Amino acid sequence: MAGIMGKGSEKSKTEKLDRSYSGSWSEDDVDFSTTSQIKRETFTGKIPVARRAYFEVVSFDEKNESIELGEGEVIVGRSPKSDIHLPIDNVSRRHARILFRNEEYHIEDLNSTNGLYVNGVRVEKCVLRNNDQIEIGGVKILFREEMTFKKDETTE
């Protein structure tokens, strides 16, 4: 009769779950059948972070240039209307775009002729990590991201 529940089994199950902690746990003592979902903001909202991200263009015009990235969309291309203008024939007019989404920077190829490479691999889109090496039409760019904890001014 091990698998059959009798009339009194419902009551004994309730009593078993309502027992107070006796110093040790066993699988019979705890019901692990449900998991509560916790919102991400519960954890991330309490840690103020100062973020700085930028591109270091290392192989263009024989000079290194740092370009600060904000949290808006950034277009990279040969067109003078691009946010990051790379006037080289191998770069498409609208070659790639950088987006800031879910606390991460993403780069995406905009159907360019010569492709987008991150760490030597051709990609359509990917998440950028600190020190990733990007190549756009022969131009080498280093992605840098610095995050530091910001002092909460309300607790002072």
Side-chain angles (χ1 to χ4, degrees), residues 13-142:
K13 183 177 179 183
T14 304
E15 289 174 359
K16 183 187 247 184
L17 292 176
D18 290 339
R19 274 194 316 217
S20 62
Y21 177 67
S22 62
S24 65
W25 292 101
S26 71
E27 282 187 41
D28 295 335
D29 293 335
V30 182
D31 181 14
F32 290 107
S33 63
T34 56
T35 303
S36 298
Q37 189 172 20
I38 300 172
K39 292 182 179 182
R40 182 177 179 200
E41 293 82 26
T42 303
F43 301 105
T44 59
K46 297 185 181 186
I47 304 173
V49 175
R51 176 186 313 268
R52 179 176 181 250
Y54 57 96
F55 278 169
E56 274 187 35
V57 182
V58 292
S59 67
F60 177 64
D61 285 348
E62 299 296 323
K63 59 181 178 180
N64 290 358
E65 184 180 354
S66 290
I67 301 166
E68 192 85 24
L69 299 173
E71 292 185 4
E73 178 180 282
V74 176
I75 301 294
V76 181
R78 190 179 74 233
S79 169
K81 294 180 182 178
S82 299
D83 300 309
I84 299 176
H85 179 226
L86 301 175
I88 297 176
D89 291 338
N90 294 341
V91 176
S92 295
R93 285 181 187 93
R94 288 176 44 92
H95 200 103
R97 83 173 153 182
I98 296 93
L99 301 165
F100 184 73
R101 252 188 330 223
N102 298 327
E103 302 296 317
E104 298 177 314
Y105 284 91
H106 300 252
I107 191 164
E108 178 178 10
D109 187 11
L110 297 175
N111 297 317
S112 65
T113 303
N114 293 312
L116 170 66
Y117 293 83
V118 177
N119 298 324
V121 178
R122 187 171 182 159
V123 297
E124 292 295 317
K125 58 179 144 181
C126 73
V127 175
L128 292 173
R129 300 288 181 228
N130 189 32
N131 293 322
D132 275 349
Q133 297 175 21
I134 302 162
E135 187 174 336
I136 297 177
V139 178
K140 297 200 186 316
I141 301 170
L142 189 62

